[in-house]
Amino acid sequence: MNFEIKYKDAMGRVGILKTPHGNIKTPALMPVIHPGKQTLDVKKFGAEIVITNAYIMYKNEDLRAKVLEEGVHKFIDFPGPIVTDSGSFQLSVYGDIDVTNREIIEFQEAIGTDIGTSLDIPTPPYVKRERAERELEITLERAKEALDVRDKLLLNSVVQGSTFPDLRSRCADEIGSMGFDVYPIGAVVPLMESYKYSDLLDVVMASVTHLPESQPRHLMGAGHPMVFAFAVAMGCDLFDSAAYILYAKGDRFMMPTGTYKLENLVEMPCSCPVCNSYTPEDLRGMEKDKRMKLIAQHNLHISLAEIRTIRQAIVDGNLMELVEQRCRSHPYLLDGLRNFKKYTSNFEEYDPASKNSAFFYSGPESLARSEIYRHLKKMERLPPKENLLLLPRSRKPYSKSIRNDLGDFYKVQKDGSTENIWDNLQVAVVDVPFAVIPLEIDEVYPLAQNESPLVNDLDSLKFVKNQVKKYIEGFNNVIINEKVLKTFDLDFKTEYYDLDPLKININDKDKVKYIADYQFGSGSGNALFKGDIKIIKSKKTGKIRHVYDGETLIATLRASDGVFVLDREGARRLHSHLEYPKNRVAVNADAEPFAKEGKSIFAKFVIDCDINIKSNEEVLIVNQNDDLIAFGKAILCGREIMNFNTGQAVKTRKGGL
Ligand code: GUN
């Protein structure tokens, strides 16, 4: 089996999982098939992978004999990949089961399961630590035993540890280093049943951040579409749903925004074939079994549709916008969303450098998004200037529309200041949610590609206020427009300052250098664009397009996200300027000739890389001696590049260096 990431957003991945019974797209929902009792043919609804229970088959003599004879694929009539669970869930419900770990692994192997599961102990949330530790030891022993017992069977190994983040992380570290095929996160059903989404986030993040990036993760027992986007954003790739049947048995319709009871419906909730063909009255008048099957069909349609919506959101780069919408469906999901801020730096490690769609602000929870954190972090490493002029928001791009109607200016009273602010001046716009936006980078993603309301909430205003206060500390003279002072309630001691806004001017050469510093780190602008550079602008838009040294192209400013795409000379200059391993992906000798020809770099050929690389970022491709051989765009982030052995790591732009 192997797993490849195709698209990323937040910590979510769209991937391809290759199994002995075919390839499937992830994130994926695995409908639960009840062996012996299944009445719905889930493949007709688009299910590509299913999960069933080995223990139920093992325990029943008739089922056992039949499945051993014909194999599980024929037995449940599903040609695609089949995952089997081990009976651990029954163990958690009934307290005891009569099968050993070894027996259930051998059985799963014998029936031809694609991915089997050892007999982990699902320790419930909120138990005493001593119990969680004791049970975790058994789970780990059984995981090891499963590896010894199995022959060709692919294996799940479940992360346990109750609600102790350190135990979850320890478990993830241990099983993660043993080389399993899929890593489920277990014993979370009670958290979901009691709407403890904030604790769910803690448990999943403690697990995922310690699991290998290169294998899929399965959130066990997560079957309600309300939680799928939330869980995918944390890096979960697989879900299993018995809920589509269980909810249908209770006459309940699942929707990504919640659950509807048939007794309350006057309208059908969606436009799936069931909702298009029947009215609530029709269903209420029906015999129970027939009705149950129809509602189960709706539940499956809507769950699989939500998975497709999530995959599209990852490709579009607006997964967090979807999560923020979904988490407004229930106050406890909102609790979970608000807990995201604890993990912003984890998200930032994986979030792509630029995305296809704009950052949409949907409330103060959006302030925790990694784009804002990353922007503020990058600002810290830019070389400081002496003077600062802060302007209010205007139409984007700010540098084109900033000069009209700016009102009065005030000087913040600071000691030791000089009076001529026009020398060594930084001009920046203050706005929600990115706080401070230097005019040189007002067209760089996501500073131009973002929208927030004109009037903002107190939390956001306070956030920006605090960022501005921090930012101005490094400047000698600070001039602030009155609208900025008022909007963000900046309580500085100020005096009126007579400033002519028409003098505000950003020089193109400073601009390209500043963009490069922001993109590649301080000093990169001077290194890339040293000497007498020639800046070529688009005739149509007037925007900067190319930067040359004489006839040699150094880099092109990409119109869609305002960042530099290197050319050979740019790559050479950056390579001499940045110290190893900054922005590097180092490949082995086998890959070197291919990279030189401009072929893309597969993760398995990478021997080292800058761990801080983000997907969609410009990277330098070097050999083991750090000789520059090519350059390109990263497909994965640094950790993923190092962890994966399958799929592309870098799309090479040009070799021949
Ligand atoms: N199904 C739901 N939760 C669990 C769990 O923790 N372990 C296993 N094996 N199956 C589950």
Side-chain angles (χ1 to χ4, degrees):
M1 192 188 81
N2 77 34
F3 180 54
E4 272 177 39
I5 294 182
K6 295 290 183 194
Y7 300 93
K8 288 157 51 64
D9 192 13
M11 285 174 68
R13 309 96 74 85
V14 164
I16 303 280
L17 180 61
K18 297 180 177 167
T19 79
H21 283 87
N23 300 349
I24 63 151
K25 274 191 234 159
T26 65
L29 175 67
M30 309 185 284
V32 173
I33 305 292
H34 194 293
K37 278 202 209 155
Q38 185 69 18
T39 48
L40 216 59
D41 184 2
V42 297
K43 55 182 179 295
K44 286 199 181 136
F45 298 85
E48 292 188 313
I49 176 169
V50 298
I51 182 165
T52 186
N53 194 298
Y55 178 64
I56 295 175
M57 296 184 269
Y58 180 84
K59 199 180 60 163
N60 178 309
E61 270 180 33
D62 294 341
L63 297 183
R64 176 162 58 183
K66 193 154 184 250
V67 71
L68 279 170
E69 188 195 316
E70 58 189 28
V72 69
H73 290 84
K74 178 146 187 251
F75 179 71
I76 65 166
D77 186 24
F78 189 78
I82 298 177
V83 178
T84 43
D85 202 353
S86 55
S88 293
F89 190 65
Q90 282 73 10
L91 180 70
S92 71
V93 176
Y94 307 115
D96 196 18
I97 51 169
D98 45 9
V99 69
T100 65
N101 185 46
R102 174 175 287 274
E103 284 163 346
I104 203 69
I105 296 289
E106 283 170 351
F107 178 67
Q108 292 172 88
E109 181 105 47
I111 64 176
T113 296
D114 291 278
I115 303 166
T117 311
S118 55
L119 205 56
D120 57 292
I121 312 249
T123 312
Y126 315 119
V127 298
K128 288 230 165 80
R129 186 173 177 97
E130 200 256 318
R131 172 175 169 195
E133 282 178 341
R134 185 169 17 98
E135 294 182 352
L136 180 55
E137 289 316 314
I138 302 172
T139 293
L140 291 171
E141 271 166 34
R142 291 180 179 176
K144 277 187 211 120
E145 185 181 44
L147 284 174
D148 293 339
V149 172
R150 68 106 177 253
D151 179 16
K152 290 198 192 73
L153 178 68
L154 301 172
L155 279 176
N156 276 321
S157 189
V158 185
V159 183
Q160 297 291 353
S162 183
T163 24
F164 296 97
D166 63 315
L167 295 187
R168 289 276 179 179
S169 300
R170 200 193 111 206
C171 180
D173 281 334
E174 292 212 15
I175 57 177
S177 66
M178 289 187 223
F180 288 93
D181 302 285
V182 178
Y183 291 97
I185 297 161
V188 289
V189 170
L191 292 175
M192 291 185 284
E193 281 175 351
S194 55
Y195 289 71
K196 300 267 199 250
Y197 295 114
S198 180
D199 292 351
L200 177 69
L201 184 86
D202 289 334
V203 161
V204 174
M205 289 302 289
S207 310
V208 164
T209 52
H210 287 254
L211 285 172
E213 286 81 5
S214 55
Q215 307 305 129
R217 300 95 176 223
H218 165 194
L219 192 63
M220 280 192 141
H224 198 301
M226 247 168 90
V227 303
F228 292 168
F230 182 76
V232 168
M234 296 187 271
C236 298
D237 308 288
L238 298 168
F239 303 95
D240 63 285
S241 179
Y244 72 102
I245 293 278
L246 300 175
Y247 275 62
K249 282 185 180 160
D251 285 338
R252 288 183 297 164
F253 285 75
M254 300 195 299
M255 293 294 289
T257 49
T259 307
Y260 295 105
K261 286 190 183 141
L262 177 62
E263 67 194 62
N264 298 329
L265 287 184
V266 292
E267 302 289 348
M268 296 300 276
C270 78
S271 45
C272 77
V274 175
C275 291
N276 267 338
S277 312
Y278 299 91
T279 66
E281 274 307 299
D282 294 338
L283 289 172
R284 281 191 285 262
M286 240 173 230
E287 177 238 321
K288 166 98 187 148
D289 201 46
K290 186 172 174 203
R291 178 168 75 229
M292 192 272 283
K293 272 189 209 151
L294 288 169
I295 301 177
Q297 286 178 32
H298 157 88
N299 287 342
L300 208 49
H301 274 299
I302 209 76
S303 300
L304 290 162
E306 177 68 354
I307 294 286
R308 292 195 298 272
T309 299
I310 291 167
R311 290 200 296 247
Q312 183 66 48
I314 293 175
V315 174
D316 290 342
N318 54 26
L319 177 63
M320 284 313 294
E321 278 81 357
L322 181 67
V323 172
E324 289 175 6
Q325 284 173 27
R326 294 295 184 246
C327 286
R328 283 182 171 79
S329 304
H330 193 286
Y332 292 156
L333 270 172
L334 188 56
D335 246 0
L337 178 66
R338 288 185 176 159
N339 195 15
F340 265 75
K341 64 172 175 286
K342 209 153 97 192
Y343 302 102
T344 303
S345 63
N346 298 101
F347 281 91
E348 197 273 334
E349 285 193 54
Y350 294 91
D351 213 13
S354 83
K355 304 183 184 180
N356 289 337
S357 54
F359 178 113
F360 276 13
Y361 170 99
S362 78
E365 292 77 18
S366 305
L367 298 171
R369 305 246 299 263
S370 52
E371 289 93 335
I372 301 171
Y373 173 82
R374 184 179 290 163
H375 166 63
L376 295 169
K377 228 171 55 162
K378 281 177 154 187
M379 293 279 291
E380 278 173 17
R381 56 178 210 201
L382 290 170
K385 291 193 180 166
E386 199 175 333
N387 305 311
L388 175 66
L389 173 61
L390 291 178
L391 302 176
R393 85 147 54 168
S394 53
R395 231 168 356 96
K396 292 196 197 75
Y398 302 121
S399 49
K400 299 280 176 313
S401 60
I402 209 76
R403 282 173 204 83
N404 305 325
D405 188 25
L406 280 179
D408 287 334
F409 288 88
Y410 291 85
K411 182 171 188 296
V412 176
Q413 290 178 358
K414 284 187 132 198
D415 294 336
S417 56
T418 60
E419 268 311 310
N420 181 14
I421 67 142
W422 297 107
D423 284 344
N424 206 352
L425 175 68
Q426 180 67 63
V427 187
V429 164
V430 178
D431 199 3
V432 171
F434 288 93
V436 181
I437 303 172
L439 281 196
E440 293 90 339
I441 49 171
D442 70 340
E443 289 174 79
V444 177
Y445 176 88
L447 307 172
Q449 300 79 355
N450 81 84
E451 295 298 340
S452 73
L454 282 169
V455 178
N456 264 299
D457 53 275
L458 287 178
D459 283 345
S460 303
L461 296 175
K462 200 165 144 199
F463 171 81
V464 171
K465 172 179 174 164
N466 289 336
Q467 293 301 332
V468 170
K469 283 183 145 181
K470 239 186 354 198
Y471 185 64
I472 75 162
E473 276 169 21
F475 294 88
N476 286 341
N477 290 300
V478 181
I479 315 292
I480 305 189
N481 166 271
E482 62 170 341
K483 283 189 201 156
V484 177
L485 277 174
K486 280 194 193 132
T487 310
F488 298 98
D489 190 25
L490 286 158
D491 43 7
F492 299 123
K493 271 204 177 136
T494 59
E495 63 198 57
Y496 179 77
Y497 191 84
D498 194 13
L499 179 132
D500 178 4
L502 291 174
K503 285 171 93 176
I504 300 169
N505 189 23
I506 305 291
N507 153 329
D508 285 342
K509 205 164 168 181
D510 289 346
K511 179 167 173 157
V512 295
K513 286 186 177 180
Y514 198 99
I515 294 172
D517 279 353
Y518 183 75
Q519 189 175 344
F520 299 110
S522 187
S524 302
N526 276 334
L528 270 176
F529 306 129
K530 64 182 176 218
D532 220 4
I533 55 163
K534 196 163 73 188
I535 295 174
I536 308 291
K537 293 186 172 179
S538 155
K539 286 206 182 85
K540 220 159 99 195
T541 62
K543 291 186 178 181
I544 295 172
R545 290 307 316 276
H546 306 290
V547 186
Y548 282 87
D549 181 348
E551 297 303 305
T552 311
L553 179 61
I554 305 171
T556 296
L557 200 60
R558 187 164 51 208
S560 59
D561 60 3
V563 304
F564 279 114
V565 173
L566 298 171
D567 208 276
R568 288 194 178 90
E569 181 59 19
R572 281 189 205 107
R573 291 180 182 198
L574 202 63
H575 179 254
S576 335
H577 166 65
L578 296 175
E579 266 176 38
Y580 187 88
K582 189 97 193 33
N583 274 70
R584 312 290 209 278
V585 175
V587 299
N588 66 16
D590 291 346
E592 202 173 326
F594 296 99
K596 281 184 174 157
E597 279 173 31
K599 302 252 166 59
S600 286
I601 306 297
F602 285 84
K604 67 177 171 201
F605 299 119
V606 175
I607 47 177
D608 190 18
C609 82
D610 175 359
I611 214 72
N612 295 313
I613 285 172
K614 311 291 177 232
S615 57
N616 292 345
E617 203 165 46
E618 294 300 297
V619 292
L620 305 168
I621 301 163
V622 297
N623 65 13
Q624 62 225 43
N625 304 320
D626 192 29
D627 301 319
L628 181 66
I629 53 177
F631 60 96
K633 181 177 86 164
I635 307 283
L636 304 174
C637 73
R639 288 187 188 285
E640 291 159 343
I641 293 175
M642 292 314 293
N643 196 248
F644 268 85
N645 266 324
T646 50
Q648 280 188 8
V650 182
K651 207 166 171 41
T652 304
R653 292 196 191 283
K654 285 181 185 164
L657 278 141

